[in-house]
């Protein structure tokens, strides 16, 4: 199985970034002191420099891009809605008949 990734608070990441930017510590010494990998520190510094504090927020599990969230719905014309409702009605009739054990010819099956 894969390794479970730890998540760190924005405050924790900010502390690591400040140790690098303000205190002049190296990635490896920060990582050793905080018990994390030096690559994490590098990544957080890069994100902070590109996006500020917002770059330190958790990104996993959040949808990004134009297609995120629920699909946009557009108004249906009366004809489109009527067609959709008729198709839905036929589907439900067939489902109901199957649940009752009947086929299209009206005969019951055991």
């Amino acid at each position: 199985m894969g390794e479970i990734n730890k998540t760190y608070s924005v405050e924790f990441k900010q502390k690591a970034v400040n140790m690098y930017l303000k205190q002049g510590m190296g990635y490896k010494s920060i990582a050793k002191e905080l018990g994390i990998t030096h690559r994490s520190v590098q990544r957080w510094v890069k994100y902070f420099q590109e996006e500020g504090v917002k770059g330190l927020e958790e990104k996993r599990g959040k949808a990004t891009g134009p297609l995120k969230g629920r699909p946009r719905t557009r108004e249906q014309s009366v004809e489109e809605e009527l067609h959709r409702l008729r198709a839905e009605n036929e589907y439900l009739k067939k489902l109901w008949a199957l649940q009752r054990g009947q086929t299209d010819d009206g005969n019951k099956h055991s």
Side-chain angles (χ1 to χ4, degrees):
M1 290 189 92
E3 186 178 314
I4 297 175
N5 293 327
K6 289 185 180 181
T7 56
Y8 299 96
S9 69
V10 173
E11 292 78 21
F12 183 83
K13 294 175 185 179
Q14 183 71 57
K15 178 181 177 181
V17 169
N18 286 339
M19 290 170 79
Y20 178 79
L21 295 175
K22 293 182 179 173
Q23 297 176 18
M25 293 177 69
Y27 294 127
K28 289 185 180 181
S29 58
I30 295 169
K32 187 174 183 181
E33 187 170 321
L34 298 178
I36 57 177
T37 66
H38 72 280
R39 295 214 185 270
S40 293
V41 179
Q42 286 177 310
R43 187 171 47 253
W44 296 341
V45 169
K46 177 183 171 221
Y47 291 160
F48 180 79
Q49 289 174 331
E50 291 174 354
E51 304 173 44
V53 177
K54 188 162 181 69
L56 300 178
E57 293 175 0
E58 182 61 42
K59 292 176 175 61
R60 287 181 289 178
K62 291 185 180 179
T64 59
L67 300 177
K68 69 179 181 179
R70 287 185 169 173
R72 292 190 177 144
T73 56
R74 63 174 180 83
E75 292 291 321
Q76 286 185 327
S77 70
V78 175
E79 291 81 16
E80 288 174 322
E81 185 174 11
L82 180 60
H83 179 73
R84 182 186 59 79
L85 290 172
R86 283 182 176 160
E88 188 176 297
N89 196 13
E90 287 301 312
Y91 172 79
L92 292 172
K93 283 180 185 177
K94 289 179 183 179
L95 180 62
W96 189 52
L98 284 171
Q99 289 175 338
R100 287 193 346 239
Q102 295 180 344
T103 60
D104 287 341
D105 61 5
N107 295 329
K108 287 195 175 229
H109 292 281
S110 301

